[in-house]
Amino acid sequence: LIRDTRSDLRSLSRVPGPHQDETRELLSKLGMDTTPTEVDDNELPSVKTFAEALTEGQKRLERAETDSLGIAILQEQGKTSELEQLEAKISSTRKQALSLFQSGLALYRDEDNDLAGLYQARFSMSYLYLREQQPWKSLVIARFVAENNAGSPIGLKAASVGLGAFSNIWRTAGEGDRKALTDYLDPFATYLVKTWPDSQEAAASSTALVQAALINGQWDKVDQFLALAPKEGEAMLGLRRDAGISFFNRYLDEKKKSGDSAAAKSLKKRAYEWLQIATKDLDVSQL
C-alpha cells in the first residue's frame, strides 16, 4: 500500500498545479526525498541491486506516463513536429524502464526478500510492453502475475493489462488464429471469474469468450462461456440476446438442410432458452 501510494504521489507531483506543495509534504511523511530530480533520457544509470533497478525503472515509467499527458494537447493543437518528438521521447523512456526492470530481475537475490517488488517489476514490464505495441509479451507476463496473485490488487491490475493485450492481438489475428486465441483465453477467463467474480475484468473476459465463440462458430462452447458471464446487467442481457439470435439463425440453416432433425431441435431449444433469459424483464406493452 505504501509503495502504491508513493508511486501515485510521485506521479501527481510532476503535474503542474497548486497541489504540488501538499503532495511533496505527503511524500516526505512517507520517507521520500522530495527534491526534484531529472531523468536522463539518453543514458541508463548503473544499477547494482534489485532495489536500485526497481526504483530507477519506476521513475522512468512514471516519467513516461506524465509526459503522455501532453500528447492529447499537442494533437488538439495540431503540432505535428512537437508531437513526434514527444512520442519518440516517451518511447525511449519506456524502453529504458524495460531495460532497468529486466536488469532488476537478473540482479534479484534471495536476501532481497521482496516478492512484492518482483511482481511489481513484472507487472510494470507487462504494462510497458502493451504500451510499446508488443501485446504477446505483455499478455504472457500479465497472465503470470495475475495467476500468482489471486485476490490481490496487483493481480487484478495485471488481469486488466492482459485483457488489453489480448484485445490488441485479436484485432489483427486471422480466422484460424482466433480459434487458438479463444482456447488460450478460456482458462484465464475462468480463473478471473472464479477469483474476482464481481470485477469488470471478469465480465470483460467472459464476454470476449462468448463473442469469440460466436464469431468462430464454436457453438458447443457458447453455452459454456455464457455460464461464466455475470447474470445481471443490461450488457449481459444483450450478450445472451445475441447468442439467442445466433442460435436461431443457425437453427434456420440446419432446418433447411435436415428438416426437424435432432440437431435442428437442439439449436432451436438453445435459441429459445437464451432469448427467454434476455427478454424476461422486457415490458411488451411498451413496444
Side-chain angles (χ1 to χ4, degrees):
L1 179 61
I2 291 173
R3 180 185 293 109
D4 288 345
T5 303
R6 285 172 174 169
S7 176
D8 291 341
L9 287 171
R10 280 200 300 266
S11 297
L12 188 60
S13 70
R14 294 194 179 100
V15 180
H19 61 277
Q20 286 188 326
D21 289 341
E22 185 176 358
T23 303
R24 293 191 185 100
E25 182 181 348
L26 290 171
L27 277 168
S28 180
K29 289 179 179 179
L30 289 176
M32 294 295 297
D33 181 6
T34 58
T35 304
T37 57
E38 288 297 322
V39 173
D40 191 331
D41 292 318
N42 300 310
E43 184 176 348
L44 280 174
S46 176
V47 291
K48 298 180 180 179
T49 67
F50 168 74
E52 288 179 1
L54 183 62
T55 299
E56 292 297 330
Q58 200 64 31
K59 283 182 181 179
R60 281 154 180 79
L61 172 55
E62 292 167 4
R63 175 57 56 87
E65 291 299 285
T66 303
D67 288 345
S68 295
L69 297 175
I71 290 179
I73 297 173
L74 292 176
Q75 287 175 332
E76 289 179 3
Q77 296 175 344
K79 296 183 177 180
T80 305
S81 178
E82 290 89 337
L83 179 61
E84 290 176 352
Q85 292 176 7
L86 179 59
E87 288 176 337
K89 176 186 175 184
I90 292 170
S91 180
S92 175
T93 305
R94 286 175 182 156
K95 288 173 182 175
Q96 282 195 3
L98 272 168
S99 179
L100 286 162
F101 288 131
Q102 289 167 343
S103 296
L105 296 181
L107 289 167
Y108 188 85
R109 300 292 181 269
D110 289 341
E111 53 267 28
D112 287 313
N113 193 28
D114 187 7
L115 189 59
L118 269 178
Y119 284 123
Q120 179 63 46
R122 290 189 173 103
F123 166 74
S124 297
M125 289 174 66
S126 70
Y127 176 77
L128 286 163
Y129 277 128
L130 179 60
R131 298 302 297 268
E132 283 296 291
Q133 308 302 317
Q134 298 186 62
W136 265 116
K137 289 183 178 180
S138 174
L139 176 56
V140 171
I141 298 173
R143 183 172 176 178
F144 172 81
V145 174
E147 292 178 348
N148 283 276
N149 288 272
S152 73
I154 195 169
L156 187 56
K157 289 196 294 184
S160 181
V161 170
L163 290 174
F166 177 84
S167 177
N168 287 2
I169 295 169
W170 176 269
R171 283 198 297 267
T172 58
E175 183 176 346
D177 293 333
R178 285 185 170 183
K179 289 187 178 181
L181 283 171
T182 305
D183 293 338
Y184 181 86
L185 182 62
D186 183 0
F188 187 42
T190 302
Y191 168 77
L192 295 185
V193 171
K194 290 181 178 179
T195 308
W196 294 281
D198 299 323
S199 69
Q200 292 181 344
E201 287 77 9
S205 61
S206 56
T207 298
L209 278 176
V210 174
Q211 293 172 337
L214 290 171
I215 292 172
N216 294 335
Q218 296 170 292
W219 304 102
D220 291 339
K221 289 192 173 185
V222 173
D223 294 324
Q224 171 193 337
F225 296 155
L226 276 172
L228 288 175
K231 302 297 185 291
E232 304 298 329
E234 186 175 340
M236 296 302 103
L237 289 177
L239 185 66
R240 288 168 171 81
R241 177 203 62 212
D242 292 345
I245 292 172
S246 295
F247 274 122
F248 182 71
N249 291 333
R250 178 74 173 167
Y251 155 71
L252 294 178
D253 291 339
E254 185 65 30
K255 187 177 180 181
K256 287 180 181 178
K257 291 189 297 183
S258 59
D260 288 326
S261 64
K265 289 178 180 179
S266 174
L267 289 167
K268 181 181 180 180
K269 181 175 179 293
R270 291 157 79 186
Y272 177 79
E273 288 173 348
W274 291 122
L275 287 172
Q276 187 179 44
I277 292 173
T279 58
K280 65 182 178 65
D281 295 325
L282 185 64
D283 185 353
V284 180
S285 65
Q286 299 298 316
L287 296 179

